[in-house]
Amino acid sequence: MTNLYIKTLLNRKKVEFYLTDLETTVGKVINFTIALLVLVSSGIFVAETYNIPEDARLELRTLDTCILVIFAVEYLLRLWSAENKIKYFLSLYALIDLMAILPYLIGIVDISFIRLLRWFRILRLLRFIDKKFLIGSISNEDGIIFTRILVTLFSIIFIFSGLIYQVEHPVNPNSFNTFLDAFYFSVVTMTTVGFGDVIPISELGRLLTVLMILTGVALIPWQIGDLIRRLVKTANQMESTCQGCGLAFHDADAGFCKRCGKQL
């Protein structure tokens, strides 16, 4: 029994390591595959809003179901390997993962409104941005922050576009015919341009529009302002990569890294 317990514990730690590791080859392959599946799944959602042949639509749904099964297995493995399962279950990324697979699990009972949550799958990419993943040659802190802000903005617009499309398309197909129509409406609404050429007619659609406007007024100026502050800060600094921690920009007269203290 003791040997079995130790073996199970080691296996759990090994699974947890590879699901979070971005340094080893195995960890990179696993996490890159998950990120790729998130993008493919999001692309399937967009493709399904267009008039495509029924055979192609069936193949896309089959592919999406396979991806969802992989997401479900991944979620269960993360939960199983977590040392503190309650803490993990209540964490932000775990809730995002759960929202990604919940529409599929609940869909078996055919609760249609829960399928709105499928658009939140794109948020899973934020985990990899936080881990400096999918950024390639961007190794400095400011570059990572720029990327994180841009991905966050795109994710929010993408989610609102998917939600407003799914709510309005059944009752207002002329204005919200494809995902591109919904994406156009979301950008125009969140930037408070308000051309008025596309208007939601359902109560839920109007509520989403209000949320878009509030999000646009509160979030976009803050995120753009953060970008500008970072650009101004970077412009007043020199590029001198620290050999200790990799921080790329320092004050012009700095002799030591402000993050780790190593001599430049």
Side-chain angles (χ1 to χ4, degrees):
M1 288 295 292
T2 303
N3 292 335
L4 180 61
Y5 173 77
I6 294 175
K7 186 176 181 180
T8 302
L9 184 62
L10 291 175
N11 287 334
R12 283 172 53 186
K13 289 186 176 297
K14 187 175 182 181
V15 169
E16 183 182 18
F17 173 78
Y18 282 125
L19 286 174
T20 57
D21 172 62
L22 296 173
E23 301 296 333
T24 65
T25 301
V26 176
K28 287 181 179 179
V29 169
I30 291 174
N31 285 278
F32 179 79
T33 302
I34 293 172
L36 182 62
L37 291 177
V38 172
L39 293 174
V40 172
S41 178
S42 301
I44 290 174
F45 292 155
V46 174
E48 286 180 338
T49 67
Y50 289 85
N51 186 21
I52 58 178
E54 192 59 34
D55 291 342
R57 189 178 298 276
L58 182 60
E59 291 177 359
L60 289 177
R61 287 177 180 172
T62 302
L63 177 60
D64 188 49
T65 300
C66 293
I67 293 175
L68 276 170
V69 170
I70 294 174
F71 286 164
V73 172
E74 179 214 355
Y75 175 80
L76 292 176
L77 285 174
R78 289 183 184 275
L79 183 61
W80 173 73
S81 63
E83 185 174 351
N84 188 333
K85 292 179 172 49
I86 296 178
K87 182 179 179 180
Y88 171 77
F89 180 78
L90 297 176
S91 66
L92 175 61
Y93 290 131
L95 293 175
I96 291 174
D97 290 343
L98 184 59
M99 284 192 295
I101 64 175
L102 198 58
Y104 171 73
L105 299 177
I106 303 298
I108 298 175
V109 193
D110 194 22
I111 302 178
S112 57
F113 73 88
I114 203 71
R115 295 175 186 171
L116 291 171
L117 293 176
R118 67 183 188 170
W119 297 97
F120 285 87
R121 279 189 222 174
I122 195 71
L123 288 176
R124 287 168 55 89
L125 291 178
L126 296 179
R127 169 189 283 126
F128 305 110
I129 299 300
D130 283 345
K131 294 289 186 179
K132 302 182 182 181
F133 191 70
L134 294 180
I135 302 179
S137 60
I138 301 176
S139 58
N140 63 77
E141 181 182 4
D142 289 336
I144 294 172
I145 292 175
F146 294 157
T147 305
R148 187 180 301 147
I149 290 174
L150 292 176
V151 171
T152 301
L153 289 175
F154 174 79
S155 299
I156 291 172
I157 294 174
F158 181 88
I159 290 170
F160 271 124
S161 300
L163 294 177
I164 195 68
Y165 170 82
Q166 201 156 349
V167 168
E168 283 293 312
H169 177 71
V171 297
N172 192 12
N174 292 329
S175 296
F176 294 88
N177 186 37
T178 65
F179 178 82
L180 183 59
D181 296 330
F183 188 81
Y184 163 79
F185 173 78
S186 298
V187 172
V188 169
T189 301
M190 293 186 67
T191 54
T192 66
V193 175
F195 290 131
D197 52 340
V198 179
I199 302 174
I201 61 175
S202 68
E203 291 186 1
L204 185 54
R206 290 172 179 172
L207 176 60
L208 281 173
T209 302
V210 172
L211 291 176
M212 285 184 197
I213 295 173
L214 294 176
T215 303
V217 169
L219 181 66
I220 292 181
W222 172 57
Q223 295 281 47
I224 297 299
D226 197 15
L227 272 174
I228 293 175
R229 285 194 298 271
R230 289 283 171 178
L231 288 172
V232 172
K233 174 186 173 183
T234 302
N236 294 329
Q237 295 178 333
M238 66 174 185
E239 185 172 2
S240 178
T241 303
C242 173
Q243 299 300 317
C245 64
L247 185 64
F249 290 92
H250 297 82
D251 295 335
D253 58 348
F256 298 87
C257 176
K258 60 183 179 180
R259 177 190 287 173
C260 67
K262 187 177 179 65
Q263 186 173 4
L264 298 174

